Amino acid sequence: MEYNEEEDNIENTKRSSKEHLPTEHTTLSPSNEAYYADNRVLIPDIDSDRFSWKKLWAFTGPGFLMSIAYLDPGNVQSDLQSGTIAKYKLLWLLMGATILGLVMQRLAARLGVVTGLHLAEMCYRQYRTVPRIFLWLMIEIAIIGSDMQEVIGTAIALYLLSNKLIPLWLGVLITAIDTFSFLLLDRYGLRKLELLFGFLITVMAVSFGYEFLVVKPEASQILKGLVIPWCEDCDYRALLQAVGIIGAVIMPHNLYLHSGLVKSRDIDRTKPSKVREANLYYFVESTIALAVSLVINVFIVAVFAHGMYNKTNADVKQVCVANHNQHSDIFPNNTDLVDVDIFKGGVFLGCQFGILAMYIWAIGILAAGQSSTMTGCYAGQFCMEGFLNLTWTRWKRVLFTRAVAIVPTFFVAFYNNMADLSGMNDLLNAIMSLQLPFATIPTIAFTSNPHIMGEFVNGWQNKLISISLSLLVIGINVFFVVDSVVRSMTDNYILLFGLGLYSLVYLSMCLYLMLHMIMSMGGCKSIASSSLSVKYFGNKFSSNFQLETDTAFLSSDEDIPSCSVNA
């Protein structure tokens, strides 16, 4: 048989590529605590190009777990405030934020499917130590902030359901125990846990759907609010609420979570067709899950748009007193507009539509808080493993996050009143909004890098949409910070100095990440191939996802536009 050197070289190249192709088992360090690494869901082997409902069912799970972040107590509070302040006029923004969230979740899922590495693991490989640690700290702040919202929501729900028998501070302590009950359920397998989360989402849909049917808001106004992107006669409060909607809906740690959850399916990533199939089914599942979350959020906005818009404290108090509601004392007898939160919202429903409406509302809030607990645990686990190459058992991770969340919440609940506890949700939404660039920009950078994604790299449409989203988020955050500083100007120069320093660090890190993103996309050849780039931004990816120590971020022979002055 005649030896063919060309065919032999091609075969060796294929073999080498397959050896270096990362697998689903690629992790930073071996761990039995990874998200069901040894118990992946098998995908039915159906040889057909037609859409398969059986395959969709196999892929169903990660998207619905991800969607829980769109239904947590922070989102619920943002929804009811949106309806109370702007009626139906911000529904289009809620829908737009959900769609933009879907775009980013799709990119995060694609990253996990194509590479076998979740977002935090990729950050470990791509960023230098200082920016990587900074990213980890910012995402940890977001996770802890989200966990505090879950603690607050659960405590308020227990307070309402028990008719004040369980005080807020005790409800906060109870949340420390119920978290570990989920860890016990975790032992029964992935699919059973996913079904439990599906049940909790169903509870929320039924609870808030019941309120919608009882209140009977105007369907035509809801439709108008969804399709007309304008807020006629909206005041400054509505503008701030619009900012809050984006911060509440698109949560930074959720991108890290989703990129890790998709690794729970057994995907043969040596075959591009299987990867393409997984991307399709995950996108369909995520679309369905976020559509469900949008409907639930619209229910909440519509209920309070119809029931509490332009209502004063005296108006609501009068109704509560007439119906002998024992919580009527939370509304002062004045003509100020109601500053609503998840507690006052539940009391109002009980006063206006019967005590059953209040209890069902509390059940929905309880389901929202409980369902968010475990997803926050997984997000924290992924981030700690990825950013720090550190593996903790789940109970240690839960103990750390929940302890940090409970301590300040407990003291607020013990020494202050309900208004202070509920008001923390608004502050936490703002804090999480500030962390958004530290999740969106890395996601765009990695999924736009051909060295990482290969043929699955983002097209120009995805790049345009995702970059526009990031710029919008950063712009909103800058506005929010500047507005907060201007409106709270004091003679406390230490506070002003601290805010100024934080703003400088924040904008510097955003600039660093955006430059890294531009180079990941193949821009700025003169900068990307320089020794300065290697020193501060790292090097390009090789096929086995390890940083090359002697190669610049991008190869010099690539057709990349120059960023030099003479270009």
Side-chain angles (χ1 to χ4, degrees):
M1 182 176 179
E2 185 177 352
Y3 174 73
N4 190 319
E5 182 178 0
E6 183 177 350
E7 289 182 1
D8 187 62
N9 288 336
I10 293 174
E11 186 64 30
N12 287 335
T13 301
K14 290 181 179 178
R15 190 182 302 114
S16 176
S17 299
K18 185 171 289 189
E19 288 172 357
H20 287 294
L21 193 66
T23 69
E24 281 287 305
H25 301 287
T26 304
T27 54
L28 290 171
S29 56
S31 170
N32 293 326
E33 294 295 326
Y35 184 69
Y36 290 97
D38 301 323
N39 187 26
R40 300 187 191 279
V41 176
L42 297 177
I43 307 301
D45 190 12
I46 302 174
D47 293 329
S48 173
D49 293 333
R50 298 175 60 184
F51 185 85
S52 169
W53 292 101
K54 192 173 182 180
K55 282 188 177 181
L56 178 61
W57 174 249
F59 280 104
T60 296
F64 279 91
L65 266 67
M66 168 273 295
S67 72
I68 286 171
Y70 292 72
L71 297 167
D72 71 343
N75 269 290
V76 173
Q77 177 144 318
S78 176
D79 290 338
L80 60 89
Q81 288 175 340
S82 173
T84 303
I85 293 172
K87 210 169 185 181
Y88 306 100
K89 298 173 186 175
L90 293 178
L91 280 176
W92 63 271
L93 185 61
L94 174 63
M95 183 171 68
T98 304
I99 293 172
L100 290 175
L102 175 62
V103 171
M104 295 307 304
Q105 298 294 164
R106 174 176 176 264
L107 296 185
R110 282 167 63 90
L111 179 69
V113 170
V114 173
T115 67
L117 299 171
H118 57 67
L119 183 55
E121 289 175 322
M122 197 62 76
C123 288
Y124 183 87
R125 285 157 168 74
Q126 184 72 329
Y127 293 124
R128 294 303 192 192
T129 302
V130 172
R132 174 166 52 85
I133 296 300
F134 180 86
L135 282 177
W136 172 67
L137 290 174
M138 294 300 101
I139 300 304
E140 282 292 344
I141 289 173
I143 292 171
I144 292 169
S146 176
D147 205 49
M148 289 179 70
Q149 289 184 322
E150 291 144 22
V151 170
I152 293 169
T154 301
I156 290 175
L158 293 174
Y159 185 75
L160 286 172
L161 288 171
S162 67
N163 285 323
K164 300 184 179 181
L165 290 178
I166 300 178
L168 290 174
W169 62 267
L170 182 57
V172 170
L173 293 180
I174 289 174
T175 62
I177 301 171
D178 66 19
T179 305
F180 291 95
S181 64
F182 276 96
L183 293 179
L184 295 176
L185 295 171
D186 189 36
R187 302 168 65 91
Y188 289 96
L190 172 62
R191 294 300 269 176
K192 291 183 177 63
L193 188 65
E194 289 176 345
L195 285 173
L196 173 63
F197 283 116
F199 169 74
L200 291 173
I201 293 174
T202 304
V203 170
M204 284 184 273
V206 172
S207 299
F208 300 134
Y210 170 84
E211 309 291 356
F212 182 84
L213 293 175
V214 168
V215 176
K216 298 178 181 177
E218 304 161 89
S220 60
Q221 292 298 311
I222 295 173
L223 183 61
K224 181 180 177 181
L226 284 169
V227 299
I228 299 180
W230 188 247
C231 191
E232 186 178 356
D233 299 326
C234 285
D235 56 13
Y236 188 76
R237 288 198 313 154
L239 177 61
L240 290 181
Q241 186 58 42
V243 174
I245 288 174
I246 296 175
V249 172
I250 308 174
M251 305 187 76
H253 61 282
N254 216 30
L255 298 179
Y256 290 87
L257 172 70
H258 199 193
S259 65
L261 292 176
V262 297
K263 295 170 64 176
S264 61
R265 269 53 182 176
D266 190 15
I267 303 167
D268 183 2
R269 292 187 304 103
T270 62
K271 298 178 180 178
S273 61
K274 296 296 183 182
V275 175
R276 196 172 293 108
E277 175 187 79
N279 286 333
L280 170 64
Y281 282 104
Y282 274 135
F283 178 63
V284 172
E285 185 230 1
S286 297
T287 302
I288 295 171
L290 290 187
V292 171
S293 75
L294 176 61
V295 170
I296 295 174
N297 284 319
V298 169
F299 282 166
I300 300 169
V301 174
V303 164
F304 288 91
H306 182 80
M308 289 199 78
Y309 179 68
N310 266 345
K311 288 285 181 69
T312 65
N313 287 309
D315 294 335
V316 180
K317 186 178 184 68
Q318 183 179 0
V319 175
C320 289
V321 171
N323 288 280
H324 308 290
N325 190 294
Q326 60 179 317
H327 299 286
S328 59
D329 57 331
I330 66 168
F331 297 101
N333 193 19
N334 58 40
T335 56
D336 294 339
L337 294 176
V338 178
D339 186 14
V340 70
D341 51 48
I342 55 178
F343 176 64
K344 290 180 181 178
V347 173
F348 162 76
L349 292 173
C351 296
Q352 186 76 40
F353 304 102
I355 197 67
L356 181 61
M358 185 184 78
Y359 288 137
I360 292 178
W361 169 262
I363 291 172
I365 297 296
L366 184 64
Q370 292 299 292
S371 60
S372 302
T373 295
M374 202 62 185
T375 54
C377 168
Y378 282 128
Q381 181 186 356
F382 294 154
C383 288
M384 184 168 285
E385 288 180 351
F387 281 116
L388 305 181
N389 194 14
L390 175 66
T391 301
W392 275 14
T393 56
R394 285 202 185 106
W395 72 267
K396 290 180 181 178
R397 174 67 221 184
V398 171
L399 184 63
F400 169 76
T401 305
R402 187 47 59 103
V404 176
I406 280 180
V407 171
T409 311
F410 172 80
F411 281 107
V412 172
F414 191 81
Y415 291 106
N416 297 82
N417 54 35
M418 176 67 75
D420 294 324
L421 187 65
S422 298
M424 287 179 67
N425 272 326
D426 297 328
L427 175 63
L428 293 170
N429 279 339
I431 290 174
M432 283 185 282
S433 178
L434 287 172
Q435 315 311 322
L436 271 174
F438 307 125
T440 58
I441 297 178
T443 302
I444 299 167
F446 301 152
T447 54
S448 299
N449 191 330
H451 296 300
I452 299 174
M453 300 295 287
E455 66 179 274
F456 298 99
V457 68
N458 287 336
W460 68 267
Q461 299 97 329
N462 274 336
K463 292 178 183 178
L464 179 63
I465 294 172
S466 52
I467 290 174
S468 299
L469 170 63
S470 294
L471 292 176
L472 173 66
V473 168
I474 293 173
I476 288 174
N477 288 338
V478 170
F479 165 80
F480 182 83
V481 172
V482 171
D483 176 79
S484 299
V485 171
V486 171
R487 290 169 66 87
S488 60
M489 286 295 288
T490 65
D491 294 331
N492 190 334
Y493 294 106
I494 296 178
L495 177 61
L496 291 176
F497 175 78
L499 288 172
L501 183 62
Y502 172 77
S503 300
L504 179 63
V505 173
Y506 179 87
L507 292 174
S508 298
M509 281 305 305
C510 288
L511 178 61
Y512 175 91
L513 292 175
M514 292 190 74
L515 285 174
H516 183 280
M517 178 179 67
I518 292 171
M519 288 187 282
S520 294
M521 292 179 176
C524 298
K525 177 180 177 181
S526 59
I527 297 177
S529 59
S530 67
S531 58
L532 189 67
S533 166
V534 175
K535 182 176 180 180
Y536 293 106
F537 289 94
N539 307 309
K540 76 171 185 178
F541 275 88
S542 65
S543 57
N544 63 353
F545 292 88
Q546 298 296 325
L547 287 174
E548 297 178 1
T549 56
D550 57 351
T551 309
F553 188 88
L554 295 169
S555 301
S556 59
D557 58 347
E558 295 182 23
D559 185 17
I560 301 168
S562 174
C563 287
S564 62
V565 177
N566 297 325

